[in-house]
Amino acid sequence: MTAARITVRRAETRARLLAAAFAVFAEEGFGRASVEQVCDRAGFTRGAFYSNFSSLDELFLAMWEERSANLLADLRAALEGIDSADADEMIRRVLRAIPVDDAWFRVSLEFTAHALRNPALREAMAAREEAIQRTVVPIVATALARAGRRVRDRTALGHALVAIHDGTAAQVLLRPGSRAVRRRREQLFRAVLESYSEEIP
């Protein structure tokens, strides 16, 4: 077997393990999930798992990284072409690019609670979240500039966007059919963008 085919097979195995793990985590909860359950769902042996990941913790971090990369790509695509001062349209595009996902919210919340009990894991998550913010804020700042606004404090904006997203996601999931909750979510995002930016003279 050629090196290229081995690389493709390894990538396919890894992708199947990630998909299986997400399904198991969503159904069982991260704390109750096991390597055996993930392997059974993916159709692999424990050997296949451990040739790709050292633990469920490492697997989750890889899952988070992959999901974050996809989200950032969707966000960048959604905001391309913004060239007017229509803040409402920009917010609608942002929220479409980062939809509230019930299963992912539960899984990530459970893993966060798990990481808070492990200092090394907590630091790894904090570092990844900061990296995401450093990538997200320039995308948003560029869109705001096209709309005639500039960001005053990029670090503060990044923290505020994450806080609003996480907090309002919980509200949306608790009241999934409420248009009022979704409207308030849009209003809060707009308030944050306006509070941390100013009109370009």
Side-chain angles (χ1 to χ4, degrees):
M1 186 177 295
T2 66
R5 286 188 65 188
I6 291 173
T7 300
V8 170
R9 283 190 60 182
R10 183 176 177 84
E12 290 173 349
T13 299
R14 186 180 175 89
R16 281 175 57 184
L17 285 168
L18 288 170
F22 180 69
V24 171
F25 294 164
E27 291 171 10
E28 303 293 333
F30 180 83
R32 293 189 295 275
S34 68
V35 170
E36 288 77 12
Q37 288 173 309
V38 172
C39 291
D40 286 345
R41 180 65 66 96
F44 291 128
T45 64
R46 286 168 58 92
F49 179 94
Y50 286 112
S51 69
N52 286 274
F53 305 102
S54 63
S55 65
L56 289 178
D57 288 352
E58 184 183 332
L59 182 150
F60 177 86
L61 292 174
M63 183 188 300
W64 188 27
E65 207 161 280
E66 178 181 77
R67 191 177 183 88
S68 298
N70 292 336
L71 181 148
L72 292 170
D74 290 344
L75 182 61
R76 188 176 285 107
L79 292 179
E80 281 181 359
I82 288 284
D83 57 1
S84 70
D86 188 349
D88 290 334
E89 174 60 19
M90 186 173 75
I91 291 166
R92 283 192 291 270
R93 290 192 185 196
V94 168
L95 295 181
R96 281 198 300 268
I98 51 171
V100 176
D101 182 328
D102 187 356
W104 176 250
F105 184 83
R106 285 184 280 112
V107 170
S108 60
L109 203 62
E110 290 168 350
F111 188 82
T112 299
H114 166 66
L116 289 174
R117 301 184 185 95
N118 182 321
L121 198 54
R122 183 176 60 209
E123 286 302 314
M125 285 194 70
R128 280 170 166 76
E129 184 168 288
E130 288 170 6
I132 291 169
Q133 289 181 32
R134 286 195 301 271
T135 306
V136 167
V137 173
I139 297 170
V140 174
T142 298
L144 284 169
R146 293 193 191 114
R149 300 186 68 84
R150 65 185 171 200
V151 177
R152 292 194 298 270
D153 185 334
R154 292 193 173 203
T155 300
L157 175 60
H159 289 304
L161 287 173
V162 169
I164 290 296
H165 174 265
D166 291 352
T168 59
Q171 294 172 7
V172 168
L173 292 171
L174 289 170
R175 295 286 185 272
S178 173
R179 292 183 179 178
V181 170
R182 290 184 180 275
R183 264 199 313 274
R184 284 198 297 272
R185 187 172 189 238
E186 290 183 11
Q187 291 166 353
L188 284 169
F189 267 95
R190 178 168 186 158
V192 165
L193 292 175
E194 290 180 346
S195 296
Y196 289 92
S197 65
E198 59 190 6
E199 290 187 4
I200 299 172

